[in-house]
Amino acid sequence: MTEPLKAVDGPGPGKARVSPFRLQPKFAGRIWGKTDLRPWYEATGIDGTVGEAWLTGPECVAETGAHAGKTLGELAKEFPAQLGNGEYPLLVKMLFPNEKLSVQVHPDDLEAQKRGLARGKTECWYVLAAELGAKVACGLLDGVGAEDLLKAVADGTVEEKLKWLPVVAGEMVFVDAGTVHAIGPGMVLLEVQQTCDVTYRLFDYGRPRELHLDDGLAVVKLKTRAGKVKAVEWAGFTRLIESQYFVVDRFELKAGAAIEMPMDGIGCVAALQGSAAVNDVEFGAGQAVVVPEGSVTLTSKTGATVVRCWEPGR
């Protein structure tokens, strides 16, 4: 378990053998996305709508340090003991839905490995912004079975079979693998998940995209633990969620703050507002710094809100 934070006089060297490094976000075009991602990003380099900004994806390129120019995937293979046994364990994204995402499901570890994948996909959503009426779906209504779901896909009534949750900024939602889920428009989410990008679409509102009914129905769980998670206040930070696969903590840094921050597993620090630095690596809103296991110094000259995302139990 992470020790309480200690105040320090100023920046100091990290103890990890691979020094922290900032990644360049990788943007992904999505038909349900937005053309304007401000205030997080001024430009994306993509024509059309952008739905996702990958902060720690395997194709994200290191911008700082001795390994600048290499991708996170390359570095995870080069430093397996420090960055995830050949694959960085957490995929951290920002989602920008302007329209409904598909109704979908992800496999758990066992089901994923049956299909030749390394792991499944359990995830969580931290709500950064939400318009009035914004909502997400997490799970099936009580009494709805696989046959009911298949029939609903055929007659277009899937949304009526889901548990919908209204969301506001600052809330955390847990979505374990096997949960039928969906995201509505009018919000911005920080998604932290296992590094697995397998999605089985069950319903897509008539869009001309492939559905994956056989695979999807095979991994659907009628009862899951998905839903909102209550934050817990710790000494110096707020624990937003703690699960088998990831821990997410929020820090509110005042101008001039300098704290010693332990990282008890492989992870990253991402800025949600303002700007900060991990040791001497500066980063701003919508950027992440990869932090191998160890201890670093987290500072902010102007004040910032950041999250620490890490994999426990390695």
Side-chain angles (χ1 to χ4, degrees), residues 183-215:
I183 297 173
M187 68 187 82
V188 178
L189 302 176
L190 180 79
E191 180 176 271
V192 180
Q193 59 163 93
Q194 293 176 271
T195 295
C196 174
D197 200 38
V198 173
T199 294
Y200 298 138
R201 292 192 203 98
L202 302 174
F203 182 70
D204 202 26
Y205 311 98
R207 295 171 179 143
R209 296 196 294 176
E210 181 183 5
L211 299 181
H212 314 94
L213 294 178
D214 290 341
D215 283 326

Side-chain angles (χ1 to χ4, degrees), residues 21-25 55-56 92 268-271 283-284 286-290:
F21 55 91
R22 188 178 70 239
L23 291 172
Q24 180 180 349
L55 306 190
T56 63
V92 180
C268 72
V269 180
F283 62 112
Q287 295 179 316
V289 174
V290 172

Side-chain angles (χ1 to χ4, degrees), residues 275-298:
S275 60
V278 173
N279 294 348
D280 59 350
V281 182
E282 297 181 347
F283 62 112
Q287 295 179 316
V289 174
V290 172
V291 183
E293 192 169 3
S295 183
V296 295
T297 300
L298 182 63

Side-chain angles (χ1 to χ4, degrees), residues 195-244:
T195 295
C196 174
D197 200 38
V198 173
T199 294
Y200 298 138
R201 292 192 203 98
L202 302 174
F203 182 70
D204 202 26
Y205 311 98
R207 295 171 179 143
R209 296 196 294 176
E210 181 183 5
L211 299 181
H212 314 94
L213 294 178
D214 290 341
D215 283 326
L217 290 172
V219 304
V220 165
K221 296 179 181 179
L222 302 183
K223 300 290 184 181
T224 71
R225 296 178 289 119
K228 294 183 181 180
V229 177
K230 185 177 180 180
V232 178
E233 296 299 326
W234 283 50
F237 62 92
T238 302
R239 176 139 297 169
L240 300 176
I241 190 169
E242 183 172 358
S243 76
Q244 174 185 355

Side-chain angles (χ1 to χ4, degrees), residues 53-257:
W54 290 31
L55 306 190
T56 63
E59 296 180 7
C60 291
V61 176
E63 292 186 310
T64 64
H67 307 290
K70 292 187 177 182
T71 67
L72 181 58
E74 291 170 338
L75 292 173
K77 290 181 173 63
E78 188 173 347
F79 301 98
Q82 299 165 71
L83 293 177
N85 293 331
E87 186 175 39
Y88 190 76
L90 296 183
L91 183 54
V92 180
K93 306 177 182 178
M94 292 181 68
L95 307 182
F96 299 91
N98 193 52
E99 299 179 7
K100 298 174 182 177
L101 277 69
S102 63
V103 178
Q104 56 190 245
V105 66
H106 308 301
D108 62 16
D109 288 346
L110 179 60
E111 292 292 344
Q113 288 161 8
K114 288 180 181 178
R115 291 158 173 78
L117 304 170
R119 63 183 63 81
K121 183 178 175 180
T122 286
E123 61 192 14
C124 66
W125 306 323
Y126 183 54
V127 184
L128 303 181
E131 298 174 4
L132 183 64
K135 58 183 180 179
V136 298
C138 289
L140 300 170
L141 292 174
D142 294 341
V144 175
E147 291 185 4
D148 301 310
L149 182 58
L150 186 59
K151 181 180 178 182
V153 170
D155 62 24
T157 61
V158 173
E159 290 180 283
E160 300 173 13
K161 308 298 182 183
L162 304 178
K163 295 179 181 177
W164 288 95
L165 303 175
V167 293
V168 298
E171 291 186 317
M172 172 63 81
V173 181
F174 176 66
V175 188
D176 46 344
T179 301
V180 179
H181 60 275
I183 297 173
M187 68 187 82
V188 178
L189 302 176
L190 180 79
E191 180 176 271
V192 180
Q193 59 163 93
Q194 293 176 271
T195 295
C196 174
D197 200 38
V198 173
T199 294
Y200 298 138
R201 292 192 203 98
L202 302 174
F203 182 70
D204 202 26
Y205 311 98
R207 295 171 179 143
R209 296 196 294 176
E210 181 183 5
L211 299 181
H212 314 94
L213 294 178
D214 290 341
D215 283 326
L217 290 172
V219 304
V220 165
K221 296 179 181 179
L222 302 183
K223 300 290 184 181
T224 71
R225 296 178 289 119
K228 294 183 181 180
V229 177
K230 185 177 180 180
V232 178
E233 296 299 326
W234 283 50
F237 62 92
T238 302
R239 176 139 297 169
L240 300 176
I241 190 169
E242 183 172 358
S243 76
Q244 174 185 355
Y245 299 108
F246 44 72
V247 179
V248 182
D249 301 318
R250 186 186 68 225
F251 296 81
E252 301 290 347
L253 301 175
K254 296 181 179 180

